[in-house]
Amino acid sequence: MRKCYLLTFVLSIVLASSVTAQKAEQLKNSYNFKRALEILQSDGEQTEAMDYLQKELAEHPKNGYAYYMIGSLYYNADMPGEAIEPTNKAISLLQKDKEWITYAYRQRANINLKLDKEKDALNDWSLSLKADPKDVNTYYDRAEYYYMKDMYAESDADFDRICKLEPGKTLGFMGKGRNAMENQRYQEAVDLFSYCIKLDPTFSQPYAFRAETYFGMNRFNECIDDIVKALGIDTNKKAFDITAVR
């Protein structure tokens, strides 16, 4: 009897998980929700997208994905007071979706920053990382917050985590290089930007940031060389700014 009970219990969990996953996919693929996303992706009218999202909630009142998008529309319209309630609703409904719950926590963190609730924002980033300890975007958002607060050690710690999670990408190394440059640790910054160039020689930003670093070191010829290299890749704004200011 005990073996039979355990088997039934395990099967019930598996079936429940399948139903939950299926329901999530159905909500993400519902007509009104998909139409709203299509409108936004094609730079259409946000009011039209909002209408479809409201229709979606009228049909599926527990669609956390729709609530998230409504919160996002309000946030992007610089209406954080309107954005907080749908984002809270999204968080309550998306707990089982590891990917989207991090989106929701990050969105609420950004809303809280606009509302000058920095402690709440920090808590949301912690909750996001608890849901997914490998979410690079959360580490990046928090690293940028620390950078803006001149908390460079904390910012470096989050950029270090990004470097470990994405060792073949430039994001974390660029962040550490910028922090080093701001603290006049120029040679460290040069080394980090040079490594970014090795990782992706077609990316103009490391050249532009290294140019700015070289200027701080009074190495003007190397600064000019890097400006030329950056502008040879694309119309890099930082490279233009360096020439305009200097």
Side-chain angles (χ1 to χ4, degrees):
M1 282 292 291
R2 182 173 174 78
K3 288 183 180 179
C4 182
Y5 169 77
L6 287 173
L7 179 60
T8 303
F9 178 70
V10 171
L11 285 174
S12 68
I13 293 176
V14 172
L15 290 172
S17 299
S18 299
V19 169
T20 300
Q22 184 181 24
K23 186 176 180 181
E25 289 305 310
Q26 288 174 341
L27 291 173
K28 283 189 282 189
N29 287 289
S30 62
Y31 173 77
N32 288 313
F33 182 71
K34 287 186 71 176
R35 278 294 295 130
L37 291 186
E38 288 168 1
I39 291 166
L40 294 173
Q41 288 168 353
S42 61
D43 295 325
E45 288 291 329
Q46 294 196 358
T47 53
E48 185 181 4
M50 182 70 83
D51 288 341
Y52 275 107
L53 291 169
Q54 296 292 358
K55 289 177 184 177
E56 173 61 23
L57 290 177
E59 186 175 346
H60 301 113
K62 292 188 177 182
N63 189 334
Y65 306 101
Y67 277 113
Y68 168 82
M69 292 307 304
I70 289 173
S72 181
L73 286 174
Y74 281 128
Y75 173 76
N76 290 329
D78 201 22
M79 300 171 66
E82 297 292 333
I84 194 70
E85 184 176 347
T87 303
N88 283 339
K89 190 70 174 177
I91 287 171
S92 69
L93 293 169
L94 296 176
Q95 289 294 322
K96 293 183 179 179
D97 191 317
K98 182 178 178 180
E99 181 178 17
W100 279 74
I101 191 61
T102 62
Y103 297 163
Y105 280 130
R106 285 175 55 226
Q107 178 162 288
R108 193 169 68 180
N110 286 325
I111 294 168
N112 280 322
L113 286 180
K114 283 200 170 187
L115 295 172
D116 295 325
K117 296 182 177 180
E118 296 184 10
K119 288 184 179 179
D120 289 340
L122 287 166
N123 184 59
D124 279 332
W125 286 320
S126 295
L127 290 170
S128 177
L129 292 171
K130 183 177 180 181
D132 182 5
K134 295 183 178 181
D135 187 64
V136 167
N137 292 317
T138 301
Y139 284 120
Y140 179 78
D141 286 355
R142 194 170 65 179
E144 287 293 289
Y145 164 78
Y146 285 137
Y147 167 76
M148 296 301 295
K149 303 294 288 185
D150 296 333
M151 299 170 66
Y152 297 110
E154 291 83 355
S155 180
D156 276 340
D158 278 342
F159 281 127
D160 278 333
R161 293 182 180 98
I162 294 173
C163 292
K164 289 178 181 178
L165 289 168
E166 295 185 342
K169 296 183 179 180
T170 61
L171 183 64
F173 300 102
M174 283 294 299
K176 283 178 64 64
R178 183 191 59 185
N179 288 350
M181 183 179 66
E182 290 289 339
N183 284 277
Q184 298 185 357
R185 303 194 311 270
Y186 290 133
Q187 188 56 54
E188 179 184 345
V190 166
D191 292 342
L192 285 162
F193 295 138
S194 297
Y195 186 67
C196 289
I197 290 168
K198 289 181 180 179
L199 288 174
D200 185 359
T202 65
F203 186 28
S204 65
Q205 281 292 78
Y207 290 107
F209 272 89
R210 192 172 67 177
E212 188 173 22
T213 309
Y214 279 140
F215 188 91
M217 301 170 76
N218 297 323
R219 293 164 63 174
F220 302 118
N221 289 336
E222 290 157 299
C223 171
I224 293 169
D225 286 345
D226 272 350
I227 290 173
V228 171
K229 289 173 183 175
L231 295 177
I233 295 172
D234 56 39
T235 54
N236 186 284
K237 184 179 182 302
K238 175 170 278 292
F240 272 121
D241 289 345
I242 296 169
T243 60
V245 173
R246 314 310 184 196

Short mmCIF file of all heavy atoms in Angstrom, two decimals, residues 46 71-79 83 114:
data_model
loop_
_atom_site.label_atom_id
_atom_site.label_comp_id
_atom_site.label_asym_id
_atom_site.label_seq_id
_atom_site.Cartn_x
_atom_site.Cartn_y
_atom_site.Cartn_z
N GLN A 46 1.24 52.50 -27.81
CA GLN A 46 1.20 51.83 -26.51
C GLN A 46 -0.21 51.77 -25.95
O GLN A 46 -0.54 50.85 -25.22
CB GLN A 46 2.14 52.54 -25.54
CG GLN A 46 3.60 52.42 -25.94
CD GLN A 46 4.56 52.76 -24.82
OE1 GLN A 46 4.16 53.12 -23.72
NE2 GLN A 46 5.84 52.63 -25.09
N GLY A 71 2.57 46.90 -16.08
CA GLY A 71 3.50 47.60 -15.22
C GLY A 71 4.65 48.20 -16.00
O GLY A 71 5.09 49.33 -15.74
N SER A 72 5.13 47.46 -17.00
CA SER A 72 6.23 47.93 -17.83
C SER A 72 5.83 49.16 -18.64
O SER A 72 6.60 50.11 -18.78
CB SER A 72 6.68 46.80 -18.77
OG SER A 72 7.77 47.22 -19.58
N LEU A 73 4.60 49.14 -19.17
CA LEU A 73 4.12 50.29 -19.95
C LEU A 73 4.04 51.54 -19.07
O LEU A 73 4.44 52.63 -19.49
CB LEU A 73 2.76 49.98 -20.56
CG LEU A 73 2.76 49.01 -21.74
CD1 LEU A 73 1.33 48.67 -22.16
CD2 LEU A 73 3.51 49.62 -22.92
N TYR A 74 3.53 51.38 -17.88
CA TYR A 74 3.45 52.52 -16.97
C TYR A 74 4.85 53.01 -16.58
O TYR A 74 5.11 54.21 -16.50
CB TYR A 74 2.65 52.16 -15.71
CG TYR A 74 1.16 52.19 -15.90
CD1 TYR A 74 0.37 51.10 -15.52
CD2 TYR A 74 0.52 53.32 -16.41
CE1 TYR A 74 -1.01 51.13 -15.68
CE2 TYR A 74 -0.86 53.35 -16.57
CZ TYR A 74 -1.62 52.25 -16.20
OH TYR A 74 -2.98 52.29 -16.36
N TYR A 75 5.74 52.06 -16.30
CA TYR A 75 7.10 52.43 -15.91
C TYR A 75 7.79 53.22 -17.03
O TYR A 75 8.41 54.26 -16.79
CB TYR A 75 7.91 51.19 -15.57
CG TYR A 75 9.38 51.47 -15.33
CD1 TYR A 75 9.81 52.05 -14.14
CD2 TYR A 75 10.33 51.18 -16.31
CE1 TYR A 75 11.15 52.33 -13.92
CE2 TYR A 75 11.67 51.46 -16.10
CZ TYR A 75 12.08 52.04 -14.91
OH TYR A 75 13.41 52.32 -14.71
N ASN A 76 7.67 52.71 -18.27
CA ASN A 76 8.31 53.38 -19.41
C ASN A 76 7.68 54.74 -19.70
O ASN A 76 8.33 55.59 -20.32
CB ASN A 76 8.24 52.49 -20.65
CG ASN A 76 9.13 51.27 -20.54
OD1 ASN A 76 10.17 51.32 -19.90
ND2 ASN A 76 8.72 50.17 -21.14
N ALA A 77 6.45 54.92 -19.26
CA ALA A 77 5.78 56.22 -19.42
C ALA A 77 6.10 57.15 -18.26
O ALA A 77 5.49 58.21 -18.13
CB ALA A 77 4.28 56.03 -19.56
N ASP A 78 7.04 56.75 -17.41
CA ASP A 78 7.45 57.52 -16.23
C ASP A 78 6.28 57.74 -15.28
O ASP A 78 6.07 58.84 -14.75
CB ASP A 78 8.05 58.86 -16.65
CG ASP A 78 8.93 59.47 -15.55
OD1 ASP A 78 9.40 58.70 -14.69
OD2 ASP A 78 9.12 60.69 -15.54
N MET A 79 5.52 56.65 -15.05
CA MET A 79 4.40 56.68 -14.12
C MET A 79 4.59 55.57 -13.08
O MET A 79 3.86 54.58 -13.06
CB MET A 79 3.08 56.49 -14.88
CG MET A 79 2.81 57.56 -15.93
SD MET A 79 1.38 57.17 -16.99
CE MET A 79 0.04 57.24 -15.81
N ALA A 83 2.64 52.02 -11.98
CA ALA A 83 3.32 50.78 -12.35
C ALA A 83 3.43 49.79 -11.21
O ALA A 83 3.51 48.57 -11.42
CB ALA A 83 4.72 51.09 -12.88
N LYS A 114 12.77 54.81 -8.68
CA LYS A 114 12.11 56.05 -9.10
C LYS A 114 11.30 56.66 -7.97
O LYS A 114 11.09 57.87 -7.92
CB LYS A 114 11.21 55.79 -10.31
CG LYS A 114 11.96 55.65 -11.62
CD LYS A 114 11.06 55.88 -12.81
CE LYS A 114 11.86 55.97 -14.09
NZ LYS A 114 11.01 56.35 -15.25
#
